[in-house]
Amino acid sequence: MRIFRLAGFGALAALATVSLLPLSGFALAQAASTQAAPAQAAPKMETFGAWSTIVDEVDTGEDVRKTCAASTAFLDPSGTSGTLTLAISNGDALPPDGYPTLVIAMKNKELPTGENIPAVFGDANGKVKATVNAISDGGGQWMMNNKTETSLALLRAMRRASALDVTFADKPVATVSMDGFTKAYRSLGVSCGFPTGDVAP
């Protein structure tokens, strides 16, 4: 399964804000000079409780490629803000063969860096052990190693929990609200064309 890097999805809200900004004169001129290119639909955004989804659709001229992401914001114990994002493309392996990639983005230089960092996600009713890789220098983004069985177990834990505790190498990262997660995940399935019954029946 291809795992793609989500450099632009660390903060879903920022992406949404940029997409809503008015075009500058330069951008309008560029748009006018590229009229031969296929028209691109504006990203579709929805909100479900504490979660937001965005579907970015690109017509390549040969097919329509969709990237579907769901994200929620959180504060760590010191009050630093961050986001937890799930993203998948209809060009990747889709459930049940592969599941959305999980990325945590926040500016916290005290969290471990490197590869295969032990991570635990869960609550009092159960925990899922995984590993994450730091994907930006000096702290910023951590991507979970996307193994099918682990990803499915984590998604099921996210559906069950009201809030998800996250730790990296026994260091608390944050407690993340799951309010609205189930509806957001189902929305990703509808948008990117995969079944969601194994996670959110």
Side-chain angles (χ1 to χ4, degrees), residues 123-145:
D123 62 5
N125 295 316
K127 302 189 183 304
V128 176
K129 293 182 179 179
T131 57
V132 297
N133 296 331
I135 57 174
S136 62
D137 296 332
Q141 293 185 358
W142 292 262
M143 180 184 291
M144 191 177 100
N145 289 318

Side-chain angles (χ1 to χ4, degrees), residues 21-177:
L21 291 176
L23 290 174
S24 66
F26 174 75
L28 286 169
Q30 271 194 321
S33 68
T34 58
Q35 286 181 354
Q40 306 300 331
K44 175 186 172 187
M45 292 170 279
E46 292 184 276
T47 301
F48 305 93
W51 285 76
S52 296
T53 62
I54 186 167
V55 179
D56 194 16
E57 188 174 293
V58 176
D59 185 346
T60 66
E62 297 178 1
D63 62 3
V64 176
R65 185 58 51 91
K66 291 182 180 179
T67 298
C68 305
S71 185
T72 190
F74 61 81
L75 296 176
D76 75 2
S78 66
T80 302
S81 63
T83 57
L84 185 155
T85 300
L86 297 169
I88 194 165
S89 166
N90 65 350
D92 292 320
L94 297 172
D97 299 314
Y99 291 89
T101 300
L102 181 145
V103 174
I104 289 181
M106 64 186 304
K107 293 295 183 186
N108 186 337
K109 294 184 178 180
E110 295 181 4
L111 291 176
T113 58
E115 296 184 351
N116 297 315
I117 303 160
V120 178
F121 302 85
D123 62 5
N125 295 316
K127 302 189 183 304
V128 176
K129 293 182 179 179
T131 57
V132 297
N133 296 331
I135 57 174
S136 62
D137 296 332
Q141 293 185 358
W142 292 262
M143 180 184 291
M144 191 177 100
N145 289 318
N146 203 355
K147 297 179 180 177
T148 303
E149 298 81 5
T150 304
S151 296
L152 177 58
L154 176 55
L155 291 167
R156 287 175 172 169
M158 292 170 72
R159 179 186 61 82
R160 183 198 70 237
S162 59
L164 195 74
D165 296 321
V166 182
T167 61
F168 293 166
D170 295 324
K171 185 172 183 62
V173 176
T175 297
V176 184
S177 173

